[in-house]
Amino acid sequence: GEDVEQSLFLSVREGDSSVINCTYTDSSSTYLYWYKQEPGAGLQLLTYIFSNMDMKQDQRLTVLLNKKDKHLSLRIADTQTGDSAIYFCAESITRDSNYQLIWGAGTKLIIKP
Amino acid sequence: DVKVTQSSRYLVKRTGEKVFLECVQDMDHENMFWYRQDPGLGLRLIYFSYDVKMKEKGDIPEGYSVSREKKERFSLILESASTNQTSMYLCASSFLAYGDNSPLHFGNGTRLTVT
C-alpha cells in the first residue's frame, strides 16, 4: 500500500541548516506537502510542491523533489529556536476516485544552542 | 484567517463512557476530517465528510462514528470509550476536493485520556 516515511528526530545547532527527508511510495502523487506542528498546536501548512516540479524556494525554506527516487526534502536555512516543531510530510494520491492524503509519522526538529 | 475550533483541549473519560468531540470551522469549507495522532504513527484518518450529512470511513473507523448535521460542525463520537482510544484527536477542514491543493486547516487538538 501507500507509505510515507521520515525519520522521527533531527537535531541541529542554531544557525545551521536543517534538512528533513521524506520518502514515499505512490508515484501517482499530485502534490507533496510539508506541515509544521508547534508544541500544543495543530498542524499548519508550511509549503507544498507540485509533482512536476523539482524545487521550490520560499525565503528560508527550500523543497527538493526527486521524483525518480520518490524522495522529498525540506531544507531550513539558518535554523532558529522558533523552528522547533514536528514536521510532517504528506502526499496527495488518488484512491477510489478520491484524492487522499498519506502522512508520514513526523520528524521532531530539536535545536541545540 | 480560517479558524477551526475544537471544543476541548483536554478530556478525561472512563472506559465505557460515550464521548463527543466537537469541531467547528468558520470558512464555509465543504470538507471536514477527524484524525488521531499517536507518537511514531503520524496522523491516521478516522472519518471525513465532504458535505452535510455525508460521511466516509477513513483508515481506522472502528470504534468511532461521526455526525455532520450542519456544514460548519463535525462531531466525532466514541460510542463506548476504551483505553486504546487514548490519543490526540485533530479536526481539519478544507475547500472542495481533498488533497488537490486545498490545504487542510487544523484545530489545536483534543487530548483524550480514557482511564
Side-chain angles (χ1 to χ4, degrees):
Chain A
E2 309 90 358
D3 197 18
V4 174
E5 293 195 355
Q6 47 183 138
S7 301
L8 292 183
F9 297 97
L10 175 67
S11 178
V12 298
R13 290 202 181 279
E14 191 175 358
D16 288 352
S17 292
S18 306
V19 180
I20 303 171
N21 294 303
C22 171
T23 57
Y24 58 96
T25 56
D26 195 307
S27 56
S28 67
S29 53
T30 51
Y31 286 93
L32 294 119
Y33 301 87
W34 285 104
Y35 280 79
K36 178 182 180 183
Q37 184 182 32
E38 294 181 354
L43 281 70
Q44 287 183 299
L45 179 66
L46 197 59
T47 187
Y48 65 93
I49 188 166
F50 188 50
S51 57
N52 69 354
M53 295 169 64
D54 298 326
M55 186 180 95
K56 181 177 179 180
Q57 188 148 4
D58 183 4
Q59 298 183 329
R60 291 192 298 123
L61 304 178
T62 304
V63 179
L64 293 177
L65 176 59
N66 181 329
K67 212 173 174 191
K68 175 174 163 288
D69 294 338
K70 300 191 186 76
H71 182 266
L72 181 74
S73 68
L74 173 69
R75 180 176 179 270
I76 305 172
D78 186 25
T79 309
Q80 303 298 309
T81 53
D83 296 323
S84 291
I86 302 175
Y87 291 83
F88 290 89
C89 170
E91 65 163 340
S92 163
I93 64 162
T94 305
R95 185 198 278 172
D96 299 329
S97 302
N98 292 315
Y99 285 108
Q100 296 209 8
L101 280 178
I102 308 297
W103 294 86
T107 299
K108 185 168 185 175
L109 180 61
I110 300 162
I111 316 297
K112 296 182 287 189
Chain B
D1 269 357
V2 177
K3 194 150 186 190
V4 179
T5 304
Q6 294 182 231
S7 53
S8 305
R9 289 300 302 270
Y10 301 95
L11 274 180
V12 180
K13 296 291 182 182
R14 292 191 182 280
T15 300
E17 276 193 82
K18 189 169 186 174
V19 182
F20 292 86
L21 302 184
E22 304 288 349
C23 175
V24 176
Q25 50 94 3
D26 66 0
M27 277 300 289
D28 204 34
H29 284 170
E30 289 83 3
N31 300 324
M32 295 189 76
F33 311 87
W34 275 105
Y35 288 92
R36 64 177 282 176
Q37 180 182 9
D38 299 288
L41 296 178
L43 275 69
R44 291 182 290 168
L45 182 63
I46 304 171
Y47 268 96
F48 67 99
S49 167
Y50 52 86
D51 203 351
V52 176
K53 296 194 187 295
M54 306 301 286
K55 61 184 179 185
E56 294 283 344
K57 291 181 180 178
D59 297 316
I60 51 163
E62 295 80 17
Y64 303 95
S65 62
V66 290
S67 171
R68 189 146 180 222
E69 296 297 316
K70 293 185 178 181
K71 193 174 185 180
E72 66 270 19
R73 185 179 295 271
F74 193 35
S75 303
L76 180 69
I77 304 151
L78 287 67
E79 295 290 341
S80 177
S82 63
T83 54
N84 64 10
Q85 292 178 309
T86 292
S87 186
M88 171 71 87
Y89 289 87
L90 292 170
C91 175
S93 69
S94 74
F95 280 119
L96 298 172
Y98 176 25
D100 68 342
N101 198 26
S102 301
L104 299 188
H105 298 268
F106 284 85
N108 283 336
T110 296
R111 185 167 292 282
L112 173 67
T113 302
V114 182
T115 62

